Amino acid sequence: MAVARDFRIRVTPEMHHAMGNGPGDPVVAQFVPTAAERITRPEERTDPIGDRVHSPVPGLTHRYPDRVILHVTQTCDVYCRFCFRRETVGADGPLSPAALTEALAYIAATPAVREVILTGGDPMTLSPRRLNALMGDLAAIPHLDVIRLHSRVPVVAPQRITAEMTAALARHPATFVVVHTNHAQELTAAAREALARLAQAGIPLLSQSVLLKGINDDADTLATLFRTLTAARVKPYYLHHCDLARGTGHFRTTIAAGQALMAALRGRLSGIAIPTYVLDIPGGYGKVPVTADHITPTGTPGLYRVRDWQGGLHDYADPTAS
Ligand code: SF4
């Protein structure tokens, strides 16, 4: 297939079993390539969120003062058709020992860094032995408060969540796993059991999802996804607007559509089940929430107009402004 010349293709047995019939199935559409990926729109980029703009040493992105992204491997167990790093994922395996040493030295020499985000590729495709060694190295850096792993593995390859894997993650006292999943159909019984093993090991779980046209861009689908995650002890964290990666225009909704969906969820889901809808500003300028404004100034100092979840408008006088 022509798409395979530009972008990697891979799916796990777990996701293969989760697939329904036809290209419109929400799991099929995430992993099976189509000719639409060969269409590049003028606004699309090879590095949509600007990873390379902020890379002081190979394998590291330092965009915000207090946190860095460590791209520990380029490998994933699945290659998502809308991936924002689709130009780089699958191109290589784990970071070389020399590059990893240089990246760790940069972190150790930069006390402003409090948090390391392990991503890739997918850091949980590393063996427990390799992950254990890396977590040990990070645990030894005194100014690090938090290690965060962004991973699709608990959902797409749940058998990887072994006792060795959870023990490796527990090497650092504050390790968060942020699970990437976009539709409740991916959350198979085995995936939910893997999430339970992580939760039982004391690892806080968050989720991130991408808003994808034809896959999850309706309120019922998102509500079911976020309810299923919350029931599995995963706090929905981010809903990403689909980034401007090459060949992904057929997945992208409008911002207005995303805002309308978030407004529709506000009244029907508990606050703990609602993620923040975010846009990564193209070019490496970071993430911003893009939820429709619920509170706007009226022009009178300290007086605001507040919109409730049903669209009703209310005045709010800010006591500290009078
Ligand atoms: S698992 Fe993540 S990094 Fe890998 S292809 Fe999917 S979205 Fe991209």
Side-chain angles (χ1 to χ4, degrees):
M1 183 174 202
V3 173
R5 285 200 291 270
D6 290 339
F7 305 113
R8 278 92 193 158
I9 300 168
R10 179 183 284 170
V11 71
T12 55
E14 188 68 20
M15 285 302 96
H16 191 254
H17 290 314
M19 286 179 182
N21 292 322
D25 177 79
V27 181
V28 170
Q30 290 186 60
F31 302 117
V32 176
T34 64
E37 291 178 46
R38 306 219 68 212
I39 301 167
T40 300
R41 303 190 187 200
E43 68 276 17
E44 292 178 345
R45 304 166 177 226
T46 56
D47 182 19
I49 70 162
D51 281 337
R52 293 193 290 271
V53 179
H54 299 285
S55 183
V57 297
L60 200 88
T61 301
H62 193 179
R63 199 186 326 269
Y64 303 98
D66 69 335
R67 72 212 94 131
V68 294
I69 294 173
L70 182 54
H71 303 268
V72 283
T73 178
Q74 299 293 358
T75 301
C76 300
D77 277 339
V78 289
Y79 290 116
C80 311
R81 305 325 306 162
F82 47 84
C83 176
F84 64 125
R85 294 199 175 107
R86 60 192 329 221
E87 310 282 343
T88 52
V89 288
D92 221 338
L95 204 56
S96 73
L100 184 58
T101 300
E102 191 181 6
L104 291 170
Y106 176 91
I107 297 167
T110 314
V113 174
R114 311 297 295 267
E115 179 174 352
V116 173
I117 299 159
L118 302 180
T119 182
D122 193 322
M124 291 174 80
T125 60
L126 295 179
S127 69
R129 181 190 57 78
R130 203 186 276 252
L131 208 46
N132 187 49
L134 175 59
M135 295 299 284
D137 288 340
L138 293 170
I141 299 176
H143 53 265
L144 290 184
D145 297 329
V146 172
I147 309 300
R148 204 194 318 166
L149 289 95
H150 285 189
S151 180
R152 227 155 157 24
V153 160
V155 171
V156 302
Q159 75 285 354
R160 282 192 188 271
I161 309 303
T162 58
E164 292 76 21
M165 176 69 89
T166 55
L169 297 182
R171 285 290 292 274
H172 193 279
T175 297
F176 287 67
V177 170
V178 183
V179 182
H180 172 185
T181 179
N182 304 307
H183 196 283
Q185 193 174 315
E186 295 165 49
L187 295 167
T188 61
R192 282 179 274 121
E193 284 163 17
L195 293 170
R197 291 196 289 280
L198 288 164
Q200 278 154 13
I203 296 163
L205 300 171
L206 305 167
S207 73
Q208 55 180 339
S209 306
V210 185
L211 182 58
L212 297 165
K213 190 189 282 182
I215 292 175
N216 62 13
D217 63 331
D218 69 87
D220 286 344
T221 300
L222 288 176
T224 303
L225 171 63
F226 299 143
R227 280 206 181 96
T228 307
L229 284 165
T230 311
R233 287 188 275 177
V234 182
K235 162 76 184 98
Y237 175 47
Y238 276 151
L239 176 66
H240 295 271
H241 193 71
C242 187
D243 291 311
L244 296 174
R246 267 199 314 142
T248 61
H250 53 299
F251 287 119
R252 201 167 301 115
T253 65
T254 61
I255 294 273
Q259 289 175 328
L261 281 169
M262 291 305 294
L265 291 177
R266 179 58 58 187
R268 43 193 291 186
L269 277 184
S270 149
I272 61 166
I274 296 186
T276 304
Y277 176 38
V278 290
L279 172 74
D280 239 305
I281 304 170
Y285 300 100
K287 257 184 221 75
V288 287
V290 283
T291 307
D293 271 340
H294 279 270
I295 183 159
T296 47
T298 59
T300 302
L303 189 63
Y304 294 87
R305 180 63 46 87
V306 188
R307 189 162 40 79
D308 68 30
W309 64 276
Q310 291 175 303
L313 294 173
H314 312 271
D315 287 338
Y316 178 82
D318 190 348
T320 60
S322 56

